[in-house]
């Protein structure tokens, strides 16, 4: 099955594969994602809209964040119950971002709902989570909105272990 949900395609594919495994549709599943930039028009459009970093660096969680960096990427994982022979997944969730100011403006309440749904699916309290790999676009609007959603969900519980928040996009770019 092919899935295209823009920035979340790989995670949506992982979600579908995991649901098929835990639902008994298959014994194990492979979730793969490929992002290639084969035509210049999307990059030119993103640049014209002021969405790309002017210096070509993604500065996620940085006050100097001024846009994202497009990249290419390939990823694949095998999913099996109990993590045998593949990746272990505690829980998954997908959501539509809902109403927002624009295509590129994130919805903080929708992000909070997604985080809560993923924790619920994993049967895990927020304070048990040690690491969150974030979207982390490196934009002045996206990063604070995402950080705010994380803070609302994770500050509600008394944390013994600090929550580490990372964003591979800062190093690898945004493979969309």
């Amino acid at each position: 099955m092919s899935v295209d949900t823009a920035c979340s395609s790989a995670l949506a594919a992982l979600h579908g594969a995991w649901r098929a495994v835990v639902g008994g549709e298959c014994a194990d599943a492979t979730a793969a994602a490929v992002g290639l930039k084969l035509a210049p028009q999307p990059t030119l459009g993103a640049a014209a809209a002021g969405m790309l970093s002017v210096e070509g660096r993604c500065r996620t969680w940085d006050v100097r964040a001024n846009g994202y960096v497009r990249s290419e990427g390939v990823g694949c994982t095998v999913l099996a119950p109990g993590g045998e022979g593949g990746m272990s997944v505690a829980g998954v969730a997908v959501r539509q971002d809902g109403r927002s100011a624009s295509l590129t403006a994130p919805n903080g309440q929708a992000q909070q709902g997604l985080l809560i749904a993923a924790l619920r699916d994993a049967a895990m309290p927020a304070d048990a989570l040690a690491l969150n790999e974030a979207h982390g676009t490196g934009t002045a609007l996206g990063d604070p909105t995402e950080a705010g959603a994380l803070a609302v969900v994770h500050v509600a519980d008394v944390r013994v272990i600090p929550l580490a928040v990372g964003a591979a996009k800062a190093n690898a770019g945004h493979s969309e």
Side-chain angles (χ1 to χ4, degrees):
M1 164 184 3
S2 177
V3 178
D4 184 356
T5 60
C7 301
S8 62
S9 296
L11 294 173
L14 176 79
H15 178 270
W18 184 244
R19 287 286 181 233
V21 169
V22 298
E25 296 175 38
C26 54
D28 54 31
T30 301
V34 177
L36 301 174
K37 310 301 178 253
L38 301 175
Q41 291 84 359
T43 299
L44 294 171
M51 296 164 54
L52 300 182
S53 168
V54 295
E55 72 265 348
R57 285 197 58 174
C58 185
R59 297 186 184 275
T60 303
W61 314 124
D62 191 323
V63 71
R64 299 170 294 171
N66 64 9
Y68 77 99
V69 176
R70 297 187 85 216
S71 71
E72 297 183 320
V74 176
C76 182
T77 189
V78 174
L79 301 162
E84 287 187 33
M87 187 168 105
S88 177
V89 176
V92 295
V94 294
R95 294 285 186 275
Q96 199 274 342
D97 205 31
R99 186 176 209 99
S100 60
S102 73
L103 175 65
T104 60
N107 179 326
Q109 288 182 321
Q111 289 183 10
Q112 291 171 33
L114 175 65
L115 293 167
I116 291 166
L119 289 165
R120 187 179 307 123
D121 189 62
M124 176 186 290
D127 65 345
L129 189 66
L131 170 67
N132 186 92
E133 178 63 24
H135 190 193
T137 57
T139 62
L141 180 59
D143 288 353
T145 302
E146 186 170 17
L150 285 165
V152 167
V153 171
H154 291 282
V155 172
D157 291 316
V158 177
R159 297 195 63 86
V160 176
I161 302 168
L163 177 66
V165 180
K169 286 185 184 84
N171 295 316
H174 196 285
S175 61
E176 302 162 18

